Amino acid sequence: MEQSVTVELLREFKEDFAADRANRAAMAAVTNGGIQEGMKNQEVFRKNIHTFSLTLDQGKVTSQKQSGRCWMFAAMNVLRFHLIHSLNLEDFELSQNYTLFYDKLEKSNHFLENILDTLDEPADGRVVSWILTSPLGDGGQWDMICSLIQKYGVVPKYAMPETHVSSMTKEMNGYLTEKLRGFACELRKRHAEGWDREKLQTEKAKMLKDIYRMLCICLGEPPLVFDFEVRGKDGAFHRDLGLTPQDFYKKYIGVDLDDYVSLIHAPTKDKPFHKSYTVQYLGNVVEGRQVRYLNLPIEELKRAAIAQLKDGNPVWFGCDVGKRSSREGGVMDLDVYRLEDMFGTAFPMTKAERLDYKQSKMTHAMVFVGVNLREDGTPNRWRVENSWGDDKGEKGFFVMDDAWFDEYMYQVVVHKKYLTEEEQKEYAQSPAILEPWDPMGSLA
């Protein structure tokens, strides 16, 4: 058998393609209109209606613009829900720029600590290469936002509004990354010269001062105190002066973040269900919460999410949003595009195989604010609050088909009371440590 692509083989391919009229029709449709437009399945949009048996009222849809802060926006949307309802507000938004500032600062420190912990590893080895890959990208995890809030609190959006850079983070990330990689190089050089850990830590503090200055220039200075003034739908006016961000969170949101746990569905052989996991080198606040997951069958994620929604509370979740979904139409459905019909071939990988072979991972975080339950209590579609602005989907809200949930949903965050007693024990057990490059270490 020939190892190369021969003239004879190309002739065979060409003849086979030309012999099928469906190939020519598909080529005309895709080359003129694009792959997704050429394959869009209108039946899916008619099926996935924006009507749900259970839905929660939320404020206006937010927009992360040209930044990768979906995990942060999703968390702020979950938390503002409590404030909006407790004060009877029409709408309210918490500052994502405030949490962005401290996330970048803490990620910088976390990165440099990882460098200090791996000084004797080769610079071109897999571990250090991985650490250097993305020192402080925009992505994050639920436990990481919890660490930020528990340390720094939150503020209203007006107390630290968006800047040009917070809405378009690419340039800032590039310069910060360049600076941090330079710092990593410098720390490793000093270690080779014989500097001890205490001296290296002193040098690291000077490095963080540079990062802080760059962040202030890009994002503005975060407030230490602010005045809270807001008017409810009933006309009631609320004023509270001189609040710290920590006091504001405790007084007006009050969600005990330690009560919330991450459930994942990773059906790969290396991660047995009913076990707890963490990921090496993953995090932002060095002294903050450990990123921890409990791996469960998919039906258990649905059960817990539905229970929380029934009690009137939204659900933070992570998924692979780019697969089999329409960004403009706001629909996530396995049949949204007629892939097999258009290309004349099947895409048969299982969820576990997609994880193992790097075809899928968690890429985006959003919020469940509703679900449609059949008469037997099982779900067939989910209502999703996204953070891509109100010009996508139905005024910013998406519909997720339940079969799509099975294949591309990876994580839900729920109050621990929705876990069984046995599941709570499983979550609390000492977690197995996954390699830094494990797919469950991906960030939304």
Side-chain angles (χ1 to χ4, degrees):
M1 186 69 180
E2 290 283 352
Q3 291 183 327
S4 60
V5 178
T6 63
V7 172
E8 291 77 14
L9 196 60
L10 284 172
R11 185 181 298 114
E12 179 186 338
F13 293 165
K14 183 176 179 64
E15 290 174 354
D16 284 351
F17 183 84
D20 192 334
R21 195 172 78 180
N23 290 337
R24 299 194 298 274
M27 182 171 63
V30 172
T31 55
N32 285 299
I35 295 175
Q36 293 186 350
E37 281 301 312
M39 293 188 293
K40 191 177 292 183
N41 183 357
Q42 293 299 331
E43 290 297 323
V44 163
F45 293 90
R46 287 192 281 267
K47 177 189 73 171
N48 287 291
I49 61 174
H50 285 266
T51 304
F52 305 87
S53 61
L54 192 164
T55 188
L56 307 179
D57 292 330
Q58 176 64 300
K60 295 177 182 177
V61 165
T62 57
S63 178
Q64 66 191 73
K65 298 184 180 178
Q66 296 179 48
S67 72
R69 296 174 289 165
C70 60
W71 61 291
M72 196 175 285
F73 271 73
M76 295 298 106
N77 287 337
V78 167
L79 297 175
R80 71 175 179 146
F81 179 89
H82 298 275
L83 189 149
I84 287 172
H85 286 267
S86 65
L87 296 182
N88 193 28
L89 305 180
E90 187 72 37
D91 190 29
F92 195 84
E93 195 167 348
L94 297 168
S95 172
Q96 301 90 1
N97 188 26
Y98 178 80
T99 46
L100 175 67
F101 183 100
Y102 285 115
D103 181 57
K104 295 298 184 187
L105 182 64
E106 291 287 351
K107 278 178 178 170
S108 297
N109 183 56
H110 194 274
F111 166 78
L112 294 174
E113 283 295 315
N114 287 340
I115 292 297
L116 291 174
D117 288 342
T118 55
L119 289 171
D120 294 320
E121 295 280 343
D124 59 353
R126 191 171 188 183
V127 171
V128 177
S129 294
W130 179 263
I131 293 170
L132 291 169
T133 299
S134 181
L136 78 171
D138 283 355
Q141 256 296 337
W142 171 259
D143 289 305
M144 292 163 66
I145 194 68
C146 291
S147 293
L148 291 173
I149 293 170
Q150 288 171 333
K151 185 171 183 177
Y152 296 105
V154 296
V155 303
K157 188 169 185 176
Y158 64 74
M160 189 169 178
E162 291 287 292
T163 69
H164 179 83
V165 177
S166 69
S167 297
M168 299 177 65
T169 54
K170 184 178 180 179
E171 283 186 323
M172 176 183 70
N173 288 344
Y175 291 120
L176 289 171
T177 295
E178 181 177 354
K179 199 67 183 168
L180 287 170
R181 286 174 178 158
F183 287 155
C185 178
E186 185 176 339
L187 289 173
R188 290 176 65 88
K189 284 180 180 178
R190 300 295 171 261
H191 172 66
E193 293 169 2
W195 285 26
D196 62 21
R197 185 64 178 254
E198 184 177 352
K199 196 172 181 181
L200 290 172
Q201 287 285 1
T202 301
E203 190 68 14
K204 186 202 75 171
K206 297 176 183 176
M207 295 171 174
L208 287 176
K209 186 176 182 180
D210 283 348
I211 297 297
Y212 183 90
R213 181 175 60 254
M214 292 173 71
L215 289 171
C216 287
I217 291 168
C218 292
L219 305 175
E221 288 191 83
L224 299 179
V225 294
F226 62 93
D227 296 338
F228 178 52
E229 295 177 318
V230 69
R231 188 178 297 279
K233 289 188 289 187
D234 57 1
F237 184 71
H238 304 271
R239 174 183 287 145
D240 204 340
L241 305 180
L243 285 170
T244 67
Q246 295 88 342
D247 288 341
F248 174 71
Y249 182 85
K250 292 175 185 176
K251 189 170 183 179
Y252 290 100
I253 297 176
V255 175
D256 187 348
L257 296 171
D258 288 332
D259 286 337
Y260 286 80
V261 299
S262 290
L263 310 180
I264 61 168
H265 181 245
T268 50
K269 290 182 180 179
D270 63 325
K271 299 181 192 69
F273 290 138
H274 302 287
K275 298 289 185 182
S276 180
Y277 299 92
T278 189
V279 182
Q280 191 177 24
Y281 300 121
L282 182 63
N284 54 358
V285 180
V286 169
E287 75 278 16
R289 283 172 57 151
Q290 180 186 53
V291 172
R292 180 181 293 205
Y293 313 121
L294 175 61
N295 195 20
L296 292 175
I298 197 71
E299 293 305 321
E300 299 308 306
L301 271 67
K302 294 180 185 180
R303 171 187 56 78
I306 291 170
Q308 186 158 302
L309 287 168
K310 283 184 174 180
D311 279 350
N313 292 305
V315 177
W316 188 103
F317 71 86
C319 67
D320 191 355
V321 72
K323 302 295 193 299
R324 308 299 191 265
S325 65
S326 170
R327 183 185 182 99
E328 297 300 324
V331 170
M332 292 167 276
D333 189 297
L334 300 180
D335 298 319
V336 70
Y337 304 117
R338 298 185 182 277
L339 287 169
E340 288 78 8
D341 291 344
M342 183 66 74
F343 288 123
T345 186
F347 296 83
M349 293 177 77
T350 65
K351 189 174 187 177
E353 290 167 343
R354 288 192 293 270
L355 286 170
D356 283 338
Y357 286 84
K358 304 186 184 303
Q359 176 54 26
S360 184
K361 62 181 180 179
M362 188 176 69
T363 60
H364 191 54
M366 297 180 281
V367 180
F368 285 132
V369 289
V371 62
N372 194 63
L373 302 175
R374 303 182 184 94
E375 291 185 359
D376 64 359
T378 59
N380 63 357
R381 61 182 180 273
W382 300 75
R383 188 173 192 239
V384 174
E385 179 186 10
N386 204 349
S387 55
W388 290 346
D390 59 9
D391 59 338
K392 304 292 188 294
E394 180 71 18
K395 296 182 179 179
F397 291 92
F398 282 42
V399 180
M400 180 191 296
D401 182 74
D402 190 62
W404 194 96
F405 189 119
D406 293 339
E407 296 298 323
Y408 293 108
M409 272 289 298
Y410 291 111
Q411 180 183 8
V412 299
V413 171
V414 296
H415 195 287
K416 60 187 179 184
K417 68 182 179 182
Y418 300 114
L419 275 62
T420 66
E421 186 175 334
E422 187 61 31
E423 288 167 349
Q424 292 186 37
K425 292 178 182 178
E426 293 164 355
Y427 177 84
Q429 65 187 287
S430 181
I433 302 174
L434 302 175
E435 298 285 8
W437 41 84
D438 189 275
M440 288 301 108
S442 62
L443 299 177

